[in-house]
Amino acid sequence: MQPSPSTTLRPAIALMEKTPQVLETMLGGIASDVLRWKPTPDRWCISEVLSHLADCEEALSERVRRLVLEDTPRLKEYEAPAEGFAAGTPQEHLSRFAFTRKELVQFLRTLPPDVGARTAQHSKLGLITLEQMLNEWASHDLGHIRQIAELYRARAFHPHAGPFAAYQILNP
């Protein structure tokens, strides 16, 4: 039997494992116009958020592996792609995110209990641990789940709530 990561990593890994399913459940069967609706030109639509998650997941996966396999690797601050996050379909973005996340969680579950103390030198933040990075990533997931939910409700449900719309304060 493989040892499990330390107890301080378990909640982050558990949430990270659930995120693709949460998104797939929430967004299953959603209309294309809702997935591509932008509340303002400078804000992301759901599809762009999904593209961002997929892009970030590839970066995170590479960083986790380096942190585990190298001694105090140097990690650059994440940079969004210059071309932005619009290319591809929402389904492609979600599928790419889910695939990469599944592989990462499987890798994390094979690691020894003390792995959370492994360190890296981040170009902006300085010395970081794997535990800190994974807890940030779980928080990142929740922030984008909230963002997607807010965009979804603002486009799909709020306009049709009639007088009940007065009960909702939106911030998509």
Side-chain angles (χ1 to χ4, degrees):
M1 179 174 189
Q2 293 280 349
S4 63
S6 71
T7 56
T8 58
L9 295 182
R10 281 191 202 129
I13 294 169
L15 177 81
M16 291 170 64
E17 183 175 32
K18 295 172 191 169
T19 299
Q21 183 180 3
V22 167
L23 293 172
E24 289 165 350
T25 300
M26 185 186 337
L27 301 176
I30 194 172
S32 179
D33 69 304
V34 174
L35 292 168
R36 298 212 180 268
W37 173 75
K38 294 171 78 89
T40 61
D42 62 329
R43 299 288 305 270
W44 287 347
C45 65
I46 292 173
S47 183
E48 290 168 317
V49 176
L50 294 171
S51 180
H52 165 72
L53 286 170
D55 185 67
C56 286
E57 194 62 23
E58 290 170 356
L60 173 66
S61 184
E62 183 261 335
R63 287 172 181 216
V64 166
R65 283 173 171 72
R66 287 192 60 209
L67 215 151
V68 169
L69 301 172
E70 299 174 26
D71 289 329
T72 316
R74 295 191 170 277
L75 304 177
K76 292 181 182 177
E77 182 178 17
Y78 171 78
E79 291 183 28
E83 66 276 6
F85 294 110
T89 69
Q91 295 77 14
E92 290 168 343
H93 303 318
L94 184 53
S95 178
R96 185 166 55 108
F97 169 71
F99 178 80
T100 307
R101 176 59 63 88
K102 182 178 179 182
E103 285 189 332
L104 177 59
V105 168
Q106 287 172 343
F107 176 71
L108 289 168
R109 292 211 181 276
T110 69
L111 300 176
D114 62 347
V115 73
R118 299 277 304 168
T119 61
Q121 187 66 39
H122 189 277
S123 63
K124 184 173 182 180
L125 303 173
L127 196 64
I128 62 168
T129 66
L130 177 61
E131 176 183 356
Q132 292 165 338
M133 190 167 67
L134 293 181
N135 278 286
E136 157 54 25
W137 223 253
S139 179
H140 181 261
D141 280 8
L142 289 173
H144 285 304
I145 289 169
R146 182 210 51 82
Q147 180 184 19
I148 288 169
E150 194 70 8
L151 287 162
Y152 187 10
R153 73 189 275 238
R155 180 63 175 178
F157 303 107
H158 185 74
H160 310 290
F164 291 103
Y167 291 145
Q168 300 174 13
I169 299 172
L170 300 179
N171 186 27

